[in-house]
Amino acid sequence: MSGRRARGPLQRAQRRRRELQAQVEALRAESAAPAPGQRKALSQRCMQLKKLVDENTNALHNLKKADEPAPVGNYNQRKEEEEKLLLKLSQQLQKLVLVLDQDNVTTNYAADEEHQKDPQTEDENGEEDESEDEESSEEEDSEETDDEDEDKLLDDPNVKECVAVGNFDAQQEGDLTFTKGEVLLIHDKKADGWWVAENSKGERGLVPRTYLAVHREEVDSQEQSEEHIEVVDETADGTEIKKRTDSHWSAVRRAITENDTVEVLATIGAVPAGFRLSTLFQLLEEGDQFRGSYFLQPELTPSQLAFKDLVWNSEKNTIYPRPTRVSLIVTLSSCKMIPLPGVSIQVLSRHVRLCLFDGNRVLSNIHTVRATWQPKNPQTWTFSPRVTGILPSLLDGDCFVRSNSLSADIGILFELGITYIRNSTGERGELSCGWAFLKLFTSNGMPVPSKMYELLLNGGTPYERGVEVDPSISRRAGSGVFHQFITLKKQPVLTVKLRSLSAQSKDILNLLPETLIGSMCYIHLLIFYRQILGDALLRDRISMQSTELICNPILATFPQLMDQPDLMDALRSAWADRERTLKRSEKRDREFLKSVFVLVYHDSVFPLLQSTFLPDYKWAEEESEASRWKAIADFLKKSRENDGALQYLLSSENTHKPFDISELAYDFLGEARKNNPGV
């Protein structure tokens, strides 16, 4: 029988560190409420433990990869993590020694004060020293008493502002330099003790947890003590931490910090540790700023006297095409090796949300594509399935992408997500299963080539680094090259394809707004909307200075279809039926096609938008989606049979929502003000 393989030097150091960590935790527990006369003994034990920790740190520092009897994967990373943990233990022990020693000084001072009386001059000098010692001992004693509570409060994900208790210089790329007293905004509190923070200048990086304390201004309502006033005063150098109030930042902050639900699910094994609350879903929930309906509206110039992305071509009697820096088609192919959630939650939807992103800000609307999967292979997601009839736009993996942003770091952010419901509580939620970023330009400013890309998924949020979707995959991996190769094959991957545009495709895309992401299956409907928009705002208006309401039901209601894909599909279906009846010559007549489109719109989705039989649109609610599909299908059938919607509208069996002028009147200036508060 073969003997058990001996541990390598790094494994022995790790085991020794775990033993020391257990001894430190036991010592801290004893020091929380020590018996009289035990403080000196506890202090000596602290010194002995600190010496052992320092010896283990030095031994670890001298280790080399060549000393290992067998190959070790991620050797440098594992060694660095061990050094950080040992440094944390050493700092905890040093702090505890100071507390215990200071407590002894306080006790001795109190005894001496009762039995000793000095001359007046010496007493005055002594009082100053004693006062300082007493104040220091009280501070340290308070710190010892509340040490565990302070640590818990510092680790609380809801506590976002921390103050630096010392100076720190960046040790490597990605670290954030700060000075003592500086207030930092924490984005992510990582388990390894290196947290993602942002300073008042907007600079971000990794900072060590041991250099931070709770910013007392943030927790004054919970507890306030005089001992911490000096920490706040040290930051009172005139620097004011700006609070960001825009919906983008608040959504990102909530997605990063409010992870109580995710932590519970990860603890019970329902989801992998790399799952987070969906950042892009939070943005969509904040309002209309990141929805397609917002970006479909015409954009005014800074002077508010003209339209930036809508210019009339009088020679061709239509709007000018607008070439943009980014104009392409991206095809979602598949997602593989996506971790499965546990049986305690039921998945209602699997989907990919995509948007333009520069590493800091979302630069476009957030477009959602729902994935399909087979019960035999639920870890693989696919898109654009073959269906009878038209493909629902929500399942269409072919997406157009347009932007005129000049950012050198612009790219496409893909966030894989699931909508779930917990079987035990009925709680609904939206989780990110990982994300990937595809940069669209190289370092020298050239567009990346049009080809297939396999993107490894990252865990956490787009503002976190080094988080795996499922860390258990790496933990189970062996140290050999073959095992590392197998582990790589098990990592979740998103496959996408960037497609080059033909001249005809470019001409079509150039008629769209400068910034927009959407499905290729309804691009022709967007073109109709833009052309009708140009007619109403540029060609038919009596005066360009007029701000009167425009009576046009299509302009007033069409943007709503961008947020209700089943209604967009209803319009696609109705238009396809009508288009099949047109002659070839009629299809070449642009003005005739627009007039037919107006009739089709009035006979299809416009009545549905006002019908009381159509339930409100709710994301990933199967019952609601089925009810809406049934109501839509019944209406379209009756509309075809009766050659229009007039009979349906006049029928006493059907009811409609109370009339609102917004159904007919288009207020372009009002839309601009609503979307841009600064207008």
Side-chain angles (χ1 to χ4, degrees):
M1 184 173 65
S2 59
R4 184 178 179 182
R5 190 176 64 182
R7 289 189 177 91
L10 181 58
Q11 284 183 316
R12 290 196 295 270
Q14 289 173 328
R15 183 180 181 183
R16 181 59 176 157
R17 189 264 308 162
R18 287 192 290 268
E19 294 174 352
L20 292 171
Q21 185 173 2
Q23 295 180 45
V24 171
E25 291 175 355
L27 183 59
R28 291 182 66 186
E30 291 181 38
S31 303
Q38 282 191 345
R39 291 185 180 276
K40 187 173 182 180
L42 290 173
S43 178
Q44 291 176 351
R45 284 178 57 191
C46 274
M47 296 299 296
Q48 293 172 356
L49 267 178
K50 187 176 185 304
K51 182 178 179 181
L52 293 175
V53 170
D54 292 340
E55 290 176 355
N56 202 40
T57 302
N58 294 333
L60 181 67
H61 185 72
N62 295 328
L63 292 183
K64 297 180 181 179
K65 191 173 183 179
D67 299 333
E68 297 293 327
V72 178
N74 300 325
Y75 181 86
N76 293 331
Q77 181 180 352
R78 294 183 181 183
K79 180 180 175 182
E80 184 178 341
E81 290 176 353
E82 285 299 310
E83 289 176 345
K84 291 177 182 178
L85 292 172
L86 287 169
L87 176 62
K88 182 178 179 181
L89 288 179
S90 179
Q91 291 171 341
Q92 289 176 345
L93 289 169
Q94 185 175 359
K95 183 178 179 182
L96 190 55
V97 168
L98 291 174
V99 171
L100 292 171
D101 288 348
Q102 195 65 52
D103 286 336
N104 288 332
V105 171
T106 305
T107 304
N108 295 333
Y109 163 73
D112 292 341
E113 187 179 22
E114 294 179 2
H115 300 92
Q116 180 179 354
K117 292 185 179 180
D118 296 328
Q120 181 67 26
T121 54
E122 293 181 5
D123 189 49
E124 290 178 357
N125 295 334
E127 282 181 1
E128 294 180 5
D129 296 336
E130 291 163 359
S131 176
E132 291 179 2
D133 291 340
E134 183 178 358
E135 183 178 335
S136 176
S137 65
E138 287 178 357
E139 182 176 348
E140 294 295 340
D141 189 47
S142 174
E143 185 176 349
E144 161 61 17
T145 304
D146 299 334
D147 185 55
E148 292 188 4
D149 292 339
E150 185 75 13
D151 282 345
K152 290 180 180 178
L153 191 58
L154 183 61
D155 292 330
D156 188 345
N158 293 319
V159 175
K160 306 171 186 66
E161 288 187 358
C162 293
V163 63
V165 297
N167 299 327
F168 174 76
D169 295 324
Q171 299 175 357
Q172 60 185 30
E173 184 181 358
D175 292 350
L176 179 65
T177 299
F178 56 82
T179 57
K180 182 179 180 180
E182 187 174 355
V183 178
L184 302 175
L185 183 63
I186 306 300
H187 293 298
D188 180 28
K189 300 186 177 182
K190 294 179 175 294
D192 62 2
W194 287 85
W195 293 356
V196 180
E198 178 182 358
N199 61 19
S200 59
K201 300 177 183 178
E203 300 169 339
R204 294 181 181 173
L206 295 174
V207 300
R209 174 193 180 279
T210 52
Y211 279 71
L212 303 177
V214 177
H215 189 212
R216 303 309 301 180
E217 288 183 1
E218 183 164 322
V219 293
D220 277 344
S221 60
Q222 300 174 21
E223 60 173 335
Q224 183 173 5
S225 59
E226 295 297 328
E227 291 80 0
H228 292 277
I229 292 179
E230 291 188 9
V231 177
V232 179
D233 290 342
E234 288 175 2
T235 66
D237 58 354
T239 302
E240 181 181 355
I241 305 300
K242 292 187 71 176
K243 302 269 186 170
R244 300 167 84 161
T245 58
D246 57 288
S247 61
H248 183 189
W249 179 250
S250 63
V252 171
R253 174 185 283 183
R254 186 164 69 249
I256 294 176
T257 59
E258 294 185 3
N259 276 326
D260 291 343
T261 301
V262 183
E263 290 176 1
V264 170
L265 293 175
T267 301
I268 65 177
V271 297
F275 281 24
R276 295 289 188 275
L277 294 180
S278 170
T279 303
L280 299 188
F281 178 75
Q282 297 289 348
L283 292 178
L284 289 174
E285 289 294 291
E286 287 287 338
D288 297 335
Q289 186 180 354
F290 297 98
R291 294 186 178 274
S293 55
Y294 165 73
F295 284 89
L296 198 60
Q297 298 290 349
E299 184 178 0
L300 292 171
T301 59
S303 67
Q304 313 300 314
L305 299 176
F307 295 101
K308 181 180 178 182
D309 60 348
L310 200 65
V311 181
W312 187 253
N313 185 344
S314 56
E315 293 183 1
K316 296 186 178 181
N317 197 34
T318 187
I319 57 176
Y320 270 111
R322 302 279 297 179
T324 55
R325 181 171 179 244
V326 176
S327 188
L328 53 89
I329 298 174
V330 58
T331 299
L332 301 178
S333 177
S334 64
C335 308
K336 298 180 180 179
M337 304 307 297
I338 308 302
L340 297 176
V343 295
S344 61
I345 66 174
Q346 177 186 353
V347 177
L348 304 178
S349 172
R350 292 171 169 86
H351 46 266
V352 173
R353 302 191 192 276
L354 61 150
C355 62
L356 290 168
F357 190 65
D358 65 355
N360 182 38
R361 300 281 301 175
V362 173
L363 304 177
S364 71
N365 63 299
I366 299 170
H367 180 63
T368 303
V369 182
R370 184 170 288 175
T372 57
W373 72 97
Q374 299 296 327
K376 294 182 179 179
N377 190 13
Q379 288 186 293
T380 299
W381 302 2
T382 57
F383 306 91
S384 303
R386 293 185 179 182
V387 297
T388 303
I390 65 171
L391 175 68
S393 56
L394 192 58
L395 303 179
D396 186 15
D398 292 331
C399 308
F400 64 84
V401 179
R402 277 176 59 81
S403 175
N404 229 6
S405 172
L406 299 178
S407 172
D409 299 320
I410 190 172
I412 304 176
L413 173 65
F414 302 91
E415 185 188 69
L416 279 67
I418 60 170
T419 305
Y420 71 91
I421 183 170
R422 291 185 66 180
N423 296 328
S424 58
T425 63
E427 174 192 3
R428 287 173 56 94
E430 182 102 3
L431 294 178
S432 167
C433 307
W435 60 274
F437 181 69
L438 176 59
K439 197 172 179 181
L440 295 179
F441 293 91
T442 61
S443 57
N444 58 5
M446 296 298 295
V448 297
S450 299
K451 64 176 185 178
M452 192 77 76
Y453 291 87
E454 282 196 351
L455 307 175
L456 288 175
L457 294 183
N458 303 282
T461 72
Y463 298 92
E464 295 178 86
R465 294 185 306 168
V467 180
E468 297 181 56
V469 176
D470 189 358
S472 63
I473 297 177
S474 299
R475 288 198 298 265
R476 292 193 299 265
S479 57
V481 176
F482 178 74
H483 289 94
Q484 296 294 327
F485 176 76
I486 295 299
T487 301
L488 184 62
K489 287 293 185 180
K490 292 180 179 180
Q491 295 294 335
V493 174
L494 169 66
T495 305
V496 300
K497 182 178 182 181
L498 294 186
R499 291 164 48 187
S500 57
L501 298 177
S502 63
Q504 183 180 5
S505 299
K506 286 183 180 179
D507 293 340
I508 293 174
L509 287 178
N510 288 342
L511 294 174
L512 296 175
E514 285 189 352
T515 302
L516 190 66
I517 299 179
S519 172
M520 285 295 296
C521 67
Y522 55 64
I523 192 171
H524 57 297
L525 305 181
L526 301 182
I527 301 299
F528 278 131
Y529 169 78
R530 291 278 292 176
Q531 290 174 338
I532 295 172
L533 191 65
D535 293 347
L537 296 180
L538 304 175
R539 185 188 68 179
D540 300 335
R541 264 204 306 167
I542 299 175
S543 170
M544 289 297 102
Q545 282 73 42
S546 173
T547 59
E548 294 181 355
L549 299 179
I550 299 174
C551 181
N552 193 310
I554 295 180
L555 299 185
T557 59
F558 185 89
Q560 299 177 33
L561 306 188
M562 294 291 288
D563 303 327
Q564 303 184 52
D566 50 2
L567 284 182
M568 183 69 82
D569 294 336
L571 181 58
R572 289 173 55 212
S573 177
W575 174 251
D577 291 341
R578 186 69 178 88
E579 191 178 29
R580 280 193 289 266
T581 65
L582 299 179
K583 299 177 182 178
R584 187 175 301 175
S585 59
E586 293 174 334
K587 293 180 180 180
R588 290 195 294 265
D589 189 338
R590 187 188 307 114
E591 293 299 319
F592 178 76
L593 283 178
K594 278 192 293 186
S595 64
V596 174
F597 175 78
V598 171
L599 293 175
V600 170
Y601 189 89
H602 288 167
D603 284 336
S604 56
V605 295
F606 183 68
L608 284 169
L609 284 169
Q610 320 308 329
S611 174
T612 58
F613 291 104
L614 187 68
D616 292 337
Y617 183 79
K618 296 179 181 178
W619 170 255
E621 284 198 7
E622 185 176 355
E623 184 177 346
S624 174
E625 291 179 354
S627 299
R628 284 176 63 92
W629 271 113
K630 186 178 185 306
I632 292 172
D634 291 344
F635 171 79
L636 292 180
K637 180 180 179 182
K638 292 179 181 178
S639 182
R640 285 193 299 267
E641 292 174 351
N642 299 321
D643 197 22
L646 182 60
Q647 185 174 339
Y648 175 87
L649 293 173
L650 297 177
S651 173
S652 60
E653 299 178 357
N654 303 311
T655 57
H656 304 275
K657 299 174 184 176
F659 175 75
D660 190 325
I661 193 173
S662 62
E663 301 172 15
L664 303 176
Y666 177 62
D667 180 11
F668 70 90
L669 198 57
E671 289 293 331
R673 284 175 179 157
K674 182 175 66 176
N675 294 333
N676 295 307
V679 176

